[in-house]
């Protein structure tokens, strides 16, 4: 449905698929002895951990009779199908066909495999099994530092990956949807927002922001003070919110957003906090608060996605304070077309005043 004189955006334009990139498919702790089925871009993928601990990722479909390999079990370094017992090693080669008098390993019997990396408590796969990985997965800056409390979680986010990313990095909604938790809609002050877009990422630096008055800010810095705040997006789908309040308090909120399908995402959150407060206290207070905030965002994403589908298109009118969404979409579209961008080009820069 098109409303008169209203610009609209096709749903396809809202859902670029950047396949040739690293995506988190699981938390390391999720993958034990049993194979684990996950979905990326609507393709089921089975993860399995061999006896040595190394992780394999195969399309979850046995080449023999199309049974999900996740129905099978791990045997040594291989994954054994639950139907006739064919075995596959991490590279996808078929190493055993029970009952067959002859060579098991012929090309037609190979399972399609994904490149895998396991680092910092996450299992990553390269999203396009037809291409070789370029570079390594994103590195979470503070997750290995013992001075920080780091929490990892998989959080369902019922929306398109772009909507989820924009939501995670969107400041104006915090005073409304999360009223009282970060910011309030009471007396607002102007701050400067400096946006910089590079070939593979875009960030916004918030200058002149006082400590948010809401509960989350008060817990982190009871005495107030000025805040250093950056919101960042890295291709293909990493969000990063960084806060420093005073010398001692540093919060890194990362989300690796994994597209299950065009309108369904899982956020693999990696949150690192360094503060004067004891770690148990941070965990006891911040974790439930974060989950409460996630639920509020998930509800909005559900409603937004339903509205996309009901109208068959999106209305997306932006103003200056929608700081990053359009830049993120632009970077995603370019990456989806396979264009790398120019790393030597000067960044695009813009300053905006926002009342927070
Ligand atoms: S279907 Fe997998 S071995 Fe036959
Ligand atoms: Fe939010």
């Amino acid at each position: 449905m098109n409303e008169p004189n209203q610009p609209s955006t096709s749903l396809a334009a809202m859902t670029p698929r950047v396949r040739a990139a690293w995506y988190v498919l699981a938390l390391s702790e999720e993958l034990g002895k049993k194979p684990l089925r996950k979905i990326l871009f609507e393709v089921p993928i089975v993860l399995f951990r061999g006896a040595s601990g190394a992780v394999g990722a195969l399309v979850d479909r046995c080449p023999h009779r199309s049974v999900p390999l996740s129905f099978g079990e791990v045997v040594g370094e291989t994954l054994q199908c639950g139907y006739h017992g064919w075995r596959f090693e991490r590279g996808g080669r078929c190493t055993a066909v029970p009952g067959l008098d002859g060579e098991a390993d012929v090309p037609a019997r190979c399972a399609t495999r994904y490149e895998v990396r396991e680092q910092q408590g996450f299992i990553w796969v390269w999203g396009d099994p037809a291409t070789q990985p370029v570079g390594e997965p994103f590195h979470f800056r503070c997750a290995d530092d013992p001075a920080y409390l780091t929490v990892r979680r998989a959080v369902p986010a019922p929306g398109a990956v772009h909507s989820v990313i924009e939501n995670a990095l969107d400041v104006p909604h915090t005073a409304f949807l999360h009223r009282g938790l970060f910011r309030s809609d009471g007396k607002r002050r102007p701050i400067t927002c400096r946006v910089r877009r590079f070939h593979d990422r875009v960030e916004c630096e918030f200058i002149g922001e006082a400590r948010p008055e809401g509960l989350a800010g008060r817990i982190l810095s009871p005495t107030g003070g000025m805040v250093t705040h950056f919101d960042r997006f890295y291709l293909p789908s990493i969000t990063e919110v960084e806060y420093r309040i005073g010398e001692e308090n540093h919060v890194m909120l990362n989300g690796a957003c994994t597209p299950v399908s065009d309108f369904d995402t899982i956020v693999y959150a990696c949150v690192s906090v360094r503060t004067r407060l004891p770690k148990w206290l941070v965990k006891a207070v911040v974790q439930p608060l974060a989950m409460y905030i996630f639920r509020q965002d998930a509800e909005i994403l559900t409603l937004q996605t339903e509205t996309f589908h009901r109208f068959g298109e999106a209305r997306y009118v932006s103003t200056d304070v929608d700081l990053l969404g359009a830049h993120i979409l632009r970077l995603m579209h370019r990456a989806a077309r396979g264009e790398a961008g120019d790393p030597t080009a000067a960044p695009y820069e813009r300053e905006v005043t926002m009342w927070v």
Side-chain angles (χ1 to χ4, degrees):
M1 187 188 105
N2 213 335
E3 294 164 68
N5 306 321
Q6 301 293 3
S8 60
T9 306
S10 75
L11 296 188
M14 300 302 301
T15 53
R17 292 182 164 194
V18 185
R19 286 176 186 277
W22 289 104
Y23 291 97
V24 172
L25 216 51
L27 304 169
S28 289
E29 66 181 34
E30 284 182 89
L31 184 61
K33 290 198 169 77
K34 284 196 178 140
L36 183 64
R37 178 182 166 101
K38 294 285 179 169
I39 296 176
L40 177 66
F41 294 120
E42 296 179 26
V43 178
I45 298 172
V46 57
L47 298 173
F48 67 102
R49 194 185 284 287
S52 66
V55 178
L58 305 173
V59 170
D60 195 13
R61 176 172 67 164
C62 180
H64 183 215
R65 288 295 180 267
S66 283
V67 166
L69 290 167
S70 53
F71 179 68
E73 61 181 329
V74 178
V75 178
E77 292 301 317
T78 66
L79 179 58
Q80 177 178 270
C81 180
Y83 195 4
H84 308 89
W86 289 22
R87 290 182 188 174
F88 302 90
E89 49 90 83
R90 275 190 296 284
R93 281 189 318 116
C94 176
T95 60
V97 176
L100 178 71
D101 182 16
E103 189 57 40
D105 177 17
V106 301
R109 296 178 199 151
C110 282
T112 302
R113 70 94 179 250
Y114 286 78
E115 286 281 347
V116 184
R117 300 285 188 276
E118 185 169 25
Q119 63 183 42
Q120 297 188 297
F122 295 95
I123 297 170
W124 300 75
V125 299
W126 180 253
D128 179 7
T131 62
Q132 280 302 310
V134 179
E136 291 298 313
F138 187 81
H139 188 266
F140 299 112
R141 221 191 309 157
C142 304
D144 301 327
D145 186 333
Y148 288 75
L149 167 73
T150 293
V151 176
R152 299 164 179 82
R153 282 279 178 284
V155 186
V161 74
H162 173 266
S163 305
V164 173
I165 292 167
E166 184 180 43
N167 168 265
L169 301 178
D170 177 56
V171 169
H173 85 278
T174 56
F176 279 89
L177 182 63
H178 310 302
R179 193 172 289 135
L181 294 176
F182 301 100
R183 302 175 176 85
S184 59
D185 195 27
K187 44 179 182 345
R188 290 182 180 246
R189 279 172 295 224
I191 61 165
T192 300
C193 310
R194 185 177 294 151
V195 175
R196 291 189 202 90
R197 189 183 70 228
F198 302 83
H199 75 292
D200 60 349
R201 65 188 194 278
V202 56
E203 68 174 26
C204 185
E205 181 181 0
F206 298 85
I207 301 158
E209 194 178 3
R211 187 210 63 186
E213 284 299 308
L215 184 59
R218 284 175 193 273
I219 290 168
L220 279 169
S221 185
T223 50
M226 291 309 275
V227 176
T228 309
H229 172 194
F230 284 88
D231 285 349
R232 302 188 183 93
F233 163 78
Y234 302 85
L235 277 171
S237 63
I238 309 284
T239 61
E240 184 172 280
V241 176
E242 178 173 17
Y243 276 103
R244 272 179 209 280
I245 310 176
E247 278 300 296
E248 294 163 315
N249 304 296
H250 187 207
V251 182
M252 291 286 280
L253 298 141
N254 279 111
C257 302
T258 298
V260 175
S261 67
D262 281 344
F263 293 100
D264 194 16
T265 301
I266 294 182
V267 180
Y268 289 91
C270 184
V271 178
S272 298
V273 182
R274 192 192 64 202
T275 137
R276 227 178 8 184
L277 302 172
K279 287 182 180 175
W280 66 265
L281 183 61
V282 176
K283 216 168 178 168
V285 177
V286 175
Q287 208 156 286
L289 187 62
M291 293 318 289
Y292 180 74
I293 292 165
F294 272 134
R295 275 198 297 277
Q296 289 180 322
D297 284 324
E299 197 181 344
I300 282 292
L301 288 166
T302 303
L303 292 170
Q304 184 187 46
T305 305
E306 277 174 16
T307 310
F308 281 168
H309 288 309
R310 188 164 301 281
F311 286 84
E313 62 182 12
R315 285 212 61 203
Y316 251 63
V317 181
S318 297
T319 74
D320 272 355
V321 295
D322 297 304
L323 293 160
L324 295 176
H327 296 291
I328 293 165
L329 196 57
R330 179 190 173 115
L331 287 170
M332 289 175 73
H333 273 295
R334 202 174 60 199
R337 292 194 299 269
E339 297 167 19
D342 179 4
T344 62
Y348 162 96
E349 282 201 36
R350 178 149 195 251
E351 278 189 13
V352 168
T353 299
M354 178 164 62
W355 291 75
V356 295

